[in-house]
């Protein structure tokens, strides 16, 4: 995400549940006025991102606190490699979790470039994020796993960023 980007997120069981919950907002004049005010300060188009949790089986029960950081990594699987790419995605997430102690979630992006997988790892603070980066760099298993997964993805599609909770 570009610096200064605003992200709104929610965890729902299905797209149908999200649509049902959104319907009253779309009919609410006050909500639509707020949306218009926000758009006055926005530059460019908005991106809709919907992700489905692949692993672990359940998301964290409690949301991260204000000031927490989430490391976001995405990459597009190469044609013909979707099953192998998804299997590797879970393996590398397990390796990252073992190295850092922080659970890395694996998601498949339902919208956007086809075959995109996203990994999300939450840390209580930027310090925790720094410490995790050092642990990952020092983990021979994790680093070797990254090398093994390279051919499964389209070159130049990997992105990495950090989102910080501000509210």
């Amino acid at each position: 995400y570009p610096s200064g980007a605003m992200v709104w997120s929610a965890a729902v069981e299905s797209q149908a549940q999200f649509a049902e919950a959104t319907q009253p907002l779309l009919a609410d004049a006050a909500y639509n006025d707020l949306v218009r005010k926000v758009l006055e300060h926005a530059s460019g188009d908005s991106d809709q991102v919907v992700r489905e949790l692949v692993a672990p089986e359940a998301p964290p029960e409690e949301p991260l606190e204000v000031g927490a950081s989430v490391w976001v990594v995405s990459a597009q699987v190469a044609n013909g490699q979707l099953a192998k790419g998804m299997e590797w995605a879970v393996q590398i997430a397990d390796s990252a979790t073992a190295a850092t102690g922080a659970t890395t979630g694996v998601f498949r992006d339902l919208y956007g470039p086809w075959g995109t997988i996203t990994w999300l790892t939450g840390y209580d603070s930027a310090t925790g994020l720094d410490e995790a980066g050092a642990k990952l760099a020092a983990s021979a298993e994790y680093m070797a796993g990254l090398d093994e997964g390279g051919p499964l993805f389209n070159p130049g599609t990997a992105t990495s960023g950090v989102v910080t909770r501000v509210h």
Side-chain angles (χ1 to χ4, degrees), residues 46 59-60 79 81 94 101 103-104 106-107 110 131 134 136 150 163:
S46 65
N79 290 340
Q81 299 295 325
D94 289 346
T103 301
T104 296
V106 180
F107 297 79
L110 301 179
E131 291 169 353
L136 290 172
V163 177

Side-chain angles (χ1 to χ4, degrees), residues 1 3 21 25 27 30 41 44 54 66 77 84 115 117 136 138 147 161:
Y1 302 100
S3 180
L25 288 174
H41 302 284
V54 173
V66 172
V77 178
K84 289 179 185 175
I117 297 174
L136 290 172
D147 288 343

